[in-house]
Amino acid sequence: MIDQLDALIFDVDGTLAETEEAHRLAFNEAFAEAGLDWDWTPDLYRELLKVTGGKERIAWFLAYPPGNLLEGLDADIDLFIRRLHGRKTELYASRVAAGAVALRPGIEPLIREARRRRIQLAIATTTSRPNVEALIGAALGREILGWFDAVACGDMAALKKPAPDVYDLALAALGVPAARAVAIEDSWNGVRAAKAAGLTVIATPSLYSANDDFTEADLVCEPHQIALRLGWS
Ligand code: XBP
Ligand code: MG
């Protein structure tokens, strides 16, 4: 699949773990706390996931027909979204820290085997650093965060997926050329981002992305099959 593998770069949401239900519930909890009657159902959320990034998703929903735009908000819309999303991040991170989300089967052994083989590890995600720390801390232990030589998060990049920015950042921090790294992704947006950065991409469809188009991926399989497909028997 690749001549020389120096680094594995993992997406987080949907790839390391099925996090999107916890994100969805945290969004709804933040909306209720703010006195908003918005209810992001699973079906609506599947559509909303086409917009990457929580703040961008809220902004899109505000403009969504028939219009959820709130009166008197025009001048302060960015601040309103930042505060609402900030609270959602707190709610999500505390859910995850409490153990609400487990890693997908095969992810932990894959990370440990890559480490054993001295393959560099990195993260390229749309979500924010506190959420990455909460997930890896709760699922693997905080010390495992130190195994990741690069952690590129959405707010560090000019453009979110499907733009390649977080992958470009991760590769630059690793000092590894794209031709020697493999990205692991779960969504169409993620596969597009990694391919645009020149990477070989393994897609592992998740609950919310099962119907996405994965034709651009180099391989589609379950996380527990990845080690074998990399030739690590
Ligand atoms: C996942 C996302 C994220 C989460 C919410 O994208 O789009 O936005 O749903 O994260 P990917 P924040 O897995 O492709 O990186 O609310 O923290 O932005
Ligand atoms: Mg994802």
Side-chain angles (χ1 to χ4, degrees):
M1 143 171 287
I2 182 169
D3 290 338
Q4 185 175 337
L5 178 63
D6 290 346
L8 275 187
I9 310 180
F10 289 87
D11 168 49
V12 173
D13 294 306
T15 298
L16 292 185
E18 294 284 6
T19 53
E20 288 301 352
E21 260 310 278
H23 279 296
R24 186 182 72 83
L25 295 170
F27 277 114
N28 282 337
E29 218 176 326
F31 300 157
E33 273 189 19
L36 300 161
D37 65 354
W38 302 346
D39 177 18
W40 285 5
T41 63
D43 282 346
L44 173 59
Y45 195 62
R46 185 170 293 105
E47 290 304 306
L48 291 172
L49 278 172
K50 291 174 185 160
V51 182
T52 55
K55 291 189 286 292
E56 292 78 359
R57 196 166 297 145
I58 294 168
W60 190 90
F61 184 74
L62 277 163
Y64 182 72
N68 300 296
L69 198 50
L70 305 169
E71 270 177 44
L73 203 65
D74 291 4
D76 294 336
I77 196 149
D78 288 343
L79 181 63
F80 168 79
I81 292 172
R82 271 205 313 279
R83 284 193 179 145
L84 191 57
H85 185 261
R87 181 63 184 141
K88 175 261 168 180
T89 299
E90 288 173 359
L91 292 163
Y92 171 82
S94 57
R95 264 174 198 277
V96 170
V101 181
L103 297 182
R104 290 179 70 186
I107 289 292
E108 179 171 354
L110 179 63
I111 289 171
R112 291 189 182 279
E113 182 60 14
R115 172 84 173 172
R116 199 184 68 77
R117 290 173 178 264
R118 301 186 189 283
I119 306 287
Q120 290 196 80
L121 294 165
I123 296 278
T125 179
T126 303
T127 200
S128 52
R129 175 111 196 176
N131 292 349
V132 177
E133 291 178 359
L135 179 66
I136 292 182
L140 290 168
R142 285 198 77 81
E143 69 284 1
I144 306 295
L145 261 175
W147 290 9
F148 290 84
D149 301 291
V151 180
C153 299
D155 288 342
M156 296 161 64
L159 293 173
K160 292 187 176 169
K161 299 174 189 177
D165 299 32
V166 280
Y167 280 103
D168 292 340
L169 285 174
L171 287 168
L174 291 171
V176 168
R180 292 190 177 186
V182 166
I184 305 175
E185 271 289 353
D186 74 303
S187 68
W188 180 87
N189 276 313
V191 171
R192 287 289 304 274
K195 290 310 293 179
L199 288 150
T200 299
V201 184
I202 299 177
T204 61
S206 59
L207 292 175
Y208 271 102
S209 68
N211 294 324
D212 282 12
D213 176 1
F214 292 107
T215 48
E216 275 193 60
D218 295 276
L219 173 69
V220 182
C221 67
E222 293 294 319
H224 68 86
Q225 299 170 318
I226 293 173
L228 197 64
R229 301 305 293 265
L230 289 171
W232 301 350
S233 47

mmCIF file of all heavy atoms in Angstrom, residues 110-132:
data_model
loop_
_atom_site.group_PDB
_atom_site.id
_atom_site.type_symbol
_atom_site.label_atom_id
_atom_site.label_comp_id
_atom_site.label_asym_id
_atom_site.label_seq_id
_atom_site.Cartn_x
_atom_site.Cartn_y
_atom_site.Cartn_z
ATOM 1 N N LEU A 110 -3.736 -0.934 17.504
ATOM 2 C CA LEU A 110 -3.064 -0.323 16.347
ATOM 3 C C LEU A 110 -2.074 0.754 16.811
ATOM 4 O O LEU A 110 -0.936 0.816 16.343
ATOM 5 C CB LEU A 110 -4.125 0.280 15.412
ATOM 6 C CG LEU A 110 -3.624 0.979 14.157
ATOM 7 C CD1 LEU A 110 -2.899 -0.002 13.231
ATOM 8 C CD2 LEU A 110 -4.792 1.640 13.407
ATOM 9 N N ILE A 111 -2.521 1.594 17.739
ATOM 10 C CA ILE A 111 -1.645 2.647 18.268
ATOM 11 C C ILE A 111 -0.437 2.023 18.965
ATOM 12 O O ILE A 111 0.713 2.443 18.764
ATOM 13 C CB ILE A 111 -2.440 3.568 19.229
ATOM 14 C CG1 ILE A 111 -3.430 4.417 18.427
ATOM 15 C CG2 ILE A 111 -1.508 4.445 20.067
ATOM 16 C CD1 ILE A 111 -4.415 5.204 19.285
ATOM 17 N N ARG A 112 -0.687 0.986 19.767
ATOM 18 C CA ARG A 112 0.416 0.353 20.511
ATOM 19 C C ARG A 112 1.406 -0.341 19.566
ATOM 20 O O ARG A 112 2.614 -0.287 19.767
ATOM 21 C CB ARG A 112 -0.136 -0.639 21.550
ATOM 22 C CG ARG A 112 -0.870 0.064 22.675
ATOM 23 C CD ARG A 112 -1.237 -0.847 23.837
ATOM 24 N NE ARG A 112 -1.966 -0.101 24.846
ATOM 25 C CZ ARG A 112 -1.412 0.679 25.772
ATOM 26 N NH1 ARG A 112 -0.096 0.795 25.833
ATOM 27 N NH2 ARG A 112 -2.153 1.347 26.633
ATOM 28 N N GLU A 113 0.878 -0.968 18.515
ATOM 29 C CA GLU A 113 1.763 -1.659 17.570
ATOM 30 C C GLU A 113 2.590 -0.651 16.764
ATOM 31 O O GLU A 113 3.779 -0.881 16.496
ATOM 32 C CB GLU A 113 0.936 -2.563 16.639
ATOM 33 C CG GLU A 113 1.721 -3.373 15.630
ATOM 34 C CD GLU A 113 2.739 -4.350 16.251
ATOM 35 O OE1 GLU A 113 2.671 -4.616 17.469
ATOM 36 O OE2 GLU A 113 3.625 -4.821 15.496
ATOM 37 N N ALA A 114 1.969 0.467 16.382
ATOM 38 C CA ALA A 114 2.714 1.513 15.658
ATOM 39 C C ALA A 114 3.849 2.034 16.536
ATOM 40 O O ALA A 114 4.985 2.210 16.081
ATOM 41 C CB ALA A 114 1.775 2.649 15.260
ATOM 42 N N ARG A 115 3.544 2.250 17.796
ATOM 43 C CA ARG A 115 4.553 2.733 18.747
ATOM 44 C C ARG A 115 5.696 1.718 18.862
ATOM 45 O O ARG A 115 6.870 2.064 18.856
ATOM 46 C CB ARG A 115 3.862 2.939 20.099
ATOM 47 C CG ARG A 115 4.766 3.248 21.244
ATOM 48 C CD ARG A 115 5.106 4.712 21.323
ATOM 49 N NE ARG A 115 5.848 5.011 22.528
ATOM 50 C CZ ARG A 115 6.399 6.176 22.788
ATOM 51 N NH1 ARG A 115 6.276 7.171 21.923
ATOM 52 N NH2 ARG A 115 7.054 6.385 23.889
ATOM 53 N N ARG A 116 5.321 0.424 18.971
ATOM 54 C CA ARG A 116 6.332 -0.634 19.094
ATOM 55 C C ARG A 116 7.250 -0.663 17.872
ATOM 56 O O ARG A 116 8.438 -0.894 17.975
ATOM 57 C CB ARG A 116 5.622 -1.984 19.252
ATOM 58 C CG ARG A 116 6.475 -3.099 19.827
ATOM 59 C CD ARG A 116 5.735 -4.430 19.855
ATOM 60 N NE ARG A 116 5.468 -4.974 18.536
ATOM 61 C CZ ARG A 116 6.366 -5.571 17.769
ATOM 62 N NH1 ARG A 116 7.608 -5.712 18.173
ATOM 63 N NH2 ARG A 116 6.024 -6.040 16.573
ATOM 64 N N ARG A 117 6.659 -0.359 16.700
ATOM 65 C CA ARG A 117 7.436 -0.361 15.458
ATOM 66 C C ARG A 117 8.139 0.975 15.200
ATOM 67 O O ARG A 117 8.682 1.186 14.130
ATOM 68 C CB ARG A 117 6.490 -0.667 14.275
ATOM 69 C CG ARG A 117 6.001 -2.095 14.280
ATOM 70 C CD ARG A 117 4.942 -2.325 13.220
ATOM 71 N NE ARG A 117 4.516 -3.712 13.217
ATOM 72 C CZ ARG A 117 5.000 -4.654 12.397
ATOM 73 N NH1 ARG A 117 5.891 -4.331 11.485
ATOM 74 N NH2 ARG A 117 4.582 -5.893 12.490
ATOM 75 N N ARG A 118 8.039 1.874 16.142
ATOM 76 C CA ARG A 118 8.655 3.213 16.036
ATOM 77 C C ARG A 118 8.133 4.011 14.842
ATOM 78 O O ARG A 118 8.857 4.781 14.207
ATOM 79 C CB ARG A 118 10.183 3.120 15.991
ATOM 80 C CG ARG A 118 10.752 2.436 17.215
ATOM 81 C CD ARG A 118 12.268 2.481 17.230
ATOM 82 N NE ARG A 118 12.807 1.643 18.290
ATOM 83 C CZ ARG A 118 12.816 1.980 19.587
ATOM 84 N NH1 ARG A 118 12.340 3.137 19.966
ATOM 85 N NH2 ARG A 118 13.309 1.157 20.482
ATOM 86 N N ILE A 119 6.873 3.790 14.511
ATOM 87 C CA ILE A 119 6.177 4.610 13.519
ATOM 88 C C ILE A 119 5.687 5.854 14.261
ATOM 89 O O ILE A 119 5.109 5.738 15.338
ATOM 90 C CB ILE A 119 4.939 3.870 12.947
ATOM 91 C CG1 ILE A 119 5.319 2.479 12.405
ATOM 92 C CG2 ILE A 119 4.198 4.711 11.919
ATOM 93 C CD1 ILE A 119 6.064 2.455 11.137
ATOM 94 N N GLN A 120 5.911 7.040 13.716
ATOM 95 C CA GLN A 120 5.444 8.247 14.394
ATOM 96 C C GLN A 120 3.913 8.293 14.371
ATOM 97 O O GLN A 120 3.277 7.836 13.422
ATOM 98 C CB GLN A 120 6.012 9.492 13.711
ATOM 99 C CG GLN A 120 7.503 9.668 13.925
ATOM 100 C CD GLN A 120 7.913 11.090 13.583
ATOM 101 O OE1 GLN A 120 7.748 12.018 14.355
ATOM 102 N NE2 GLN A 120 8.439 11.242 12.388
ATOM 103 N N LEU A 121 3.368 8.907 15.412
ATOM 104 C CA LEU A 121 1.910 9.026 15.541
ATOM 105 C C LEU A 121 1.518 10.502 15.523
ATOM 106 O O LEU A 121 2.229 11.338 16.086
ATOM 107 C CB LEU A 121 1.441 8.401 16.856
ATOM 108 C CG LEU A 121 1.625 6.892 16.985
ATOM 109 C CD1 LEU A 121 1.484 6.453 18.441
ATOM 110 C CD2 LEU A 121 0.612 6.167 16.111
ATOM 111 N N ALA A 122 0.399 10.783 14.891
ATOM 112 C CA ALA A 122 -0.094 12.164 14.877
ATOM 113 C C ALA A 122 -1.611 12.176 14.826
ATOM 114 O O ALA A 122 -2.256 11.159 14.535
ATOM 115 C CB ALA A 122 0.474 12.918 13.674
ATOM 116 N N ILE A 123 -2.156 13.358 15.141
ATOM 117 C CA ILE A 123 -3.609 13.599 15.100
ATOM 118 C C ILE A 123 -3.849 14.746 14.123
ATOM 119 O O ILE A 123 -3.121 15.743 14.145
ATOM 120 C CB ILE A 123 -4.104 14.048 16.501
ATOM 121 C CG1 ILE A 123 -3.904 12.959 17.545
ATOM 122 C CG2 ILE A 123 -5.523 14.587 16.460
ATOM 123 C CD1 ILE A 123 -4.951 11.904 17.602
ATOM 124 N N ALA A 124 -4.873 14.596 13.288
ATOM 125 C CA ALA A 124 -5.307 15.710 12.425
ATOM 126 C C ALA A 124 -6.832 15.755 12.509
ATOM 127 O O ALA A 124 -7.523 14.922 11.914
ATOM 128 C CB ALA A 124 -4.856 15.498 10.984
ATOM 129 N N THR A 125 -7.353 16.698 13.260
ATOM 130 C CA THR A 125 -8.781 16.702 13.573
ATOM 131 C C THR A 125 -9.413 18.079 13.421
ATOM 132 O O THR A 125 -8.740 19.097 13.548
ATOM 133 C CB THR A 125 -9.005 16.218 15.026
ATOM 134 O OG1 THR A 125 -10.393 16.260 15.326
ATOM 135 C CG2 THR A 125 -8.267 17.079 16.041
ATOM 136 N N THR A 126 -10.708 18.064 13.192
ATOM 137 C CA THR A 126 -11.457 19.318 13.147
ATOM 138 C C THR A 126 -11.789 19.810 14.548
ATOM 139 O O THR A 126 -11.978 21.003 14.768
ATOM 140 C CB THR A 126 -12.777 19.088 12.381
ATOM 141 O OG1 THR A 126 -12.448 18.604 11.096
ATOM 142 C CG2 THR A 126 -13.572 20.354 12.252
ATOM 143 N N THR A 127 -11.866 18.898 15.482
ATOM 144 C CA THR A 127 -12.281 19.321 16.816
ATOM 145 C C THR A 127 -11.136 20.031 17.545
ATOM 146 O O THR A 127 -10.044 20.205 17.005
ATOM 147 C CB THR A 127 -12.850 18.120 17.607
ATOM 148 O OG1 THR A 127 -13.660 18.607 18.678
ATOM 149 C CG2 THR A 127 -11.757 17.233 18.161
ATOM 150 N N SER A 128 -11.400 20.453 18.776
ATOM 151 C CA SER A 128 -10.418 21.278 19.480
ATOM 152 C C SER A 128 -9.558 20.434 20.433
ATOM 153 O O SER A 128 -9.926 19.320 20.809
ATOM 154 C CB SER A 128 -11.135 22.382 20.252
ATOM 155 O OG SER A 128 -12.136 21.800 21.055
ATOM 156 N N ARG A 129 -8.450 20.994 20.821
ATOM 157 C CA ARG A 129 -7.456 20.286 21.656
ATOM 158 C C ARG A 129 -8.062 19.755 22.969
ATOM 159 O O ARG A 129 -7.785 18.605 23.332
ATOM 160 C CB ARG A 129 -6.286 21.240 21.908
ATOM 161 C CG ARG A 129 -5.254 20.707 22.830
ATOM 162 C CD ARG A 129 -3.952 20.403 22.151
ATOM 163 N NE ARG A 129 -3.148 19.552 23.008
ATOM 164 C CZ ARG A 129 -1.990 19.048 22.675
ATOM 165 N NH1 ARG A 129 -1.503 19.282 21.479
ATOM 166 N NH2 ARG A 129 -1.316 18.305 23.510
ATOM 167 N N PRO A 130 -8.890 20.532 23.702
ATOM 168 C CA PRO A 130 -9.437 19.979 24.949
ATOM 169 C C PRO A 130 -10.214 18.681 24.719
ATOM 170 O O PRO A 130 -10.187 17.773 25.563
ATOM 171 C CB PRO A 130 -10.371 21.084 25.468
ATOM 172 C CG PRO A 130 -9.914 22.329 24.802
ATOM 173 C CD PRO A 130 -9.315 21.926 23.498
ATOM 174 N N ASN A 131 -10.893 18.594 23.566
ATOM 175 C CA ASN A 131 -11.660 17.375 23.287
ATOM 176 C C ASN A 131 -10.745 16.185 22.986
ATOM 177 O O ASN A 131 -11.051 15.047 23.356
ATOM 178 C CB ASN A 131 -12.613 17.611 22.112
ATOM 179 C CG ASN A 131 -13.727 18.579 22.464
ATOM 180 O OD1 ASN A 131 -13.912 18.910 23.633
ATOM 181 N ND2 ASN A 131 -14.458 19.040 21.470
ATOM 182 N N VAL A 132 -9.632 16.453 22.310
ATOM 183 C CA VAL A 132 -8.661 15.385 22.020
ATOM 184 C C VAL A 132 -8.048 14.902 23.327
ATOM 185 O O VAL A 132 -7.938 13.694 23.582
ATOM 186 C CB VAL A 132 -7.550 15.904 21.079
ATOM 187 C CG1 VAL A 132 -6.504 14.822 20.836
ATOM 188 C CG2 VAL A 132 -8.144 16.389 19.754
#
